[in-house]
Amino acid sequence: MADALKKREIAALPIKRYEEVRSEIRSGDLAFCSGSYVFSKIIQGFTGSVWSHVGLIYRDEHLRRVFILESEVGIGVRLVPISKYLRDYHGRRRPYRGQMVVARVNPVLGDEQVRNAVSHGMDLLTKPYDNFEILRIAARIAFRVGRRTQDRKFICSELVDECYRAAGVKFKRRDNFISPDDIWRDPVVTSIARIH
């Protein structure tokens, strides 16, 4: 279980340059974000946590790239290189405003489990958000209500949870809802490094 952290504790974690740890990051690892954006702060407030986002890491050796499979507000399910987060977030030539921590699920997922998790997430790519999705996300967080099965729109933690369920891993939930913090605090998750 990764320990609960406060914002200042994340900021105090030793920072490793992405280039230093890139070779250690595996498909199936998790990227946790503690953002400084307005919507990040809303999520942090509703969940009582420093975490505002989580994504599943996918490493493609053929392309020599490391991606985050995520569900992004206003965009939907997408695959984005970690390097874009750290250098050119949302194409604005600035890094992500906040901290990013890579974590691992233990025991480490086997090859077949990783394939199942990532393939399931890839099947969900481009699932769109509509104009009212942000309000529904906020309401689901505020009232701790999970998405309905037929609802194919995801908040980030629901996407990660569903991908891991496809791999046979079930994170502990609070009620019928799962937040980035719930995944972070699950006993199978351990912190690897804070990266920039």
Side-chain angles (χ1 to χ4, degrees), residues 12-179:
L13 288 173
I15 300 173
K16 292 188 178 179
R17 290 180 56 241
Y18 172 60
E19 294 77 17
E20 293 173 36
V21 296
R22 186 178 186 277
S23 63
E24 299 169 32
I25 296 173
R26 302 175 182 168
S27 287
D29 285 348
L30 298 167
F32 287 90
C33 298
S34 180
S36 299
Y37 301 92
V38 172
F39 195 69
S40 301
K41 291 178 182 182
I42 291 169
I43 292 169
Q44 291 162 350
F46 279 130
T47 62
S49 163
V50 297
W51 302 116
S52 54
H53 189 64
V54 63
L56 174 68
I57 293 176
Y58 166 59
R59 183 180 190 93
D60 189 311
E61 296 301 336
H62 295 291
L63 297 176
R64 288 186 239 147
R65 301 296 300 261
V66 182
F67 297 94
I68 299 175
L69 180 61
E70 64 180 0
S71 186
E72 175 73 15
V73 173
I75 297 170
V77 179
R78 70 177 183 163
L79 193 63
V80 62
I82 290 179
S83 59
K84 290 289 280 180
Y85 258 86
L86 301 173
R87 310 280 179 265
D88 187 25
Y89 188 66
H90 284 219
R92 295 190 179 128
R93 296 190 177 131
R94 283 180 257 161
Y96 176 79
R97 224 173 39 223
Q99 291 86 33
M100 182 183 288
V101 175
V102 175
R104 183 162 292 148
V105 170
N106 289 297
V108 175
L109 298 180
D111 291 342
E112 187 65 26
Q113 287 178 297
V114 169
R115 268 192 295 280
N116 290 341
V118 173
S119 292
H120 186 74
M122 296 289 190
D123 288 343
L124 299 172
L125 283 172
T126 73
K127 293 297 179 184
Y129 283 91
D130 62 32
N131 294 333
F132 299 104
E133 186 63 12
I134 293 171
L135 297 174
R136 284 192 291 272
I137 289 169
R140 286 189 349 228
I141 291 170
F143 299 109
R144 301 207 182 319
V145 176
R147 68 180 172 77
R148 293 171 299 198
T149 306
Q150 69 272 21
D151 179 3
R152 301 307 290 172
K153 296 175 178 83
F154 297 91
I155 62 173
C156 60
S157 48
E158 292 170 336
L159 174 68
V160 168
D161 181 57
E162 185 160 314
C163 289
Y164 267 88
R165 283 177 182 268
V169 176
K170 294 182 180 178
F171 294 115
K172 294 188 183 213
R173 295 170 157 260
R174 274 186 289 167
D175 303 317
N176 191 29
F177 175 80
I178 191 158
S179 72

